[in-house]
Amino acid sequence: MKEKLLISSCLCGSCCKYNGGSNLLKEFPILKEKYELILVCPEVLGGLSIPRNPSEIKGNRVYNNLGEDVSDAFNLGAKKTLAIALENGVTKAILKESSPSCGVNNIYDGSFSGKKISGSGITTRLLVDNNIKVYSSLDVKKIMED
C-alpha cells in the first residue's frame, strides 16, 4: 500500500489556479508512482471561484486585488483541507509555494507588486500546527528523499 500524500491540485495539472491555469510539476508522474495522491485546492474548498481575483496576505487577513477581505474563504478552505488530511491519515503534504493558501517558505507581501516575503500560507500554517509535514513545490526532491 502506498503512503498517502496531500498535494495541491494545481501541481497535478488541475486548472484551479486563481487565473484558471495549473502549475503541473514535471515530477508529477514520479510522485503519482510513489504515493497515493490526495488532491486539494483550499481556495476552491473555501468557496472561491475559478477563475478568481488574485489574493495576498496582509497582516492576519487575506485580501483580493479589489481590496475585498476574503479571509473567511481562506480559513474555511484550510479547515476543510485539514479535515481531508486527517480523514486520510496524511502525515506529509506538498503545496504550491508563494500561494496565500499554500505557500511554505514565502508569500507575496500584500501589496500586489510581485514582492515576496518570508512566510507561510493559511492552509500551510494549519497543517503544520497539526503535525503534518509540509514541503514546498519548489523542493520536490526533499519529499522524494524522506
Side-chain angles (χ1 to χ4, degrees), residues 2-120:
K2 293 181 189 176
E3 180 181 2
K4 293 180 180 181
L5 175 69
L6 190 79
I7 186 168
S8 296
S9 297
C10 64
L11 300 177
C12 300
S14 296
C15 293
C16 57
K17 277 180 58 167
Y18 75 93
N19 63 5
S22 80
N23 294 302
L24 180 63
L25 286 173
K26 69 178 191 286
E27 299 91 346
F28 172 68
I30 299 165
L31 290 170
K32 189 176 176 184
E33 187 68 29
K34 183 174 180 175
Y35 297 99
E36 179 183 335
L37 301 179
I38 310 296
L39 281 61
V40 294
C41 178
E43 295 172 23
V44 173
L45 287 170
L48 296 173
S49 64
I50 305 167
R52 56 190 166 276
N53 288 81
S55 298
E56 296 185 5
I57 297 173
K58 190 167 190 169
N60 290 322
R61 307 296 295 172
V62 185
Y63 298 92
N64 68 21
N65 63 340
L66 300 177
E68 299 166 333
D69 187 332
V70 290
S71 301
D72 288 347
F74 277 78
N75 289 319
L76 177 60
K79 289 175 187 168
K80 286 184 174 183
T81 299
L82 175 61
I84 291 166
L86 296 175
E87 286 168 13
N88 284 282
V90 167
T91 60
K92 293 194 278 192
I94 186 163
L95 300 179
K96 175 64 180 97
E97 190 62 80
S98 306
S99 157
S101 291
C102 300
V104 177
N105 300 308
N106 64 68
I107 54 174
Y108 290 96
D109 72 353
S111 67
F112 296 93
S113 65
K115 183 179 178 201
K116 294 180 187 178
I117 57 172
S118 292
S120 299

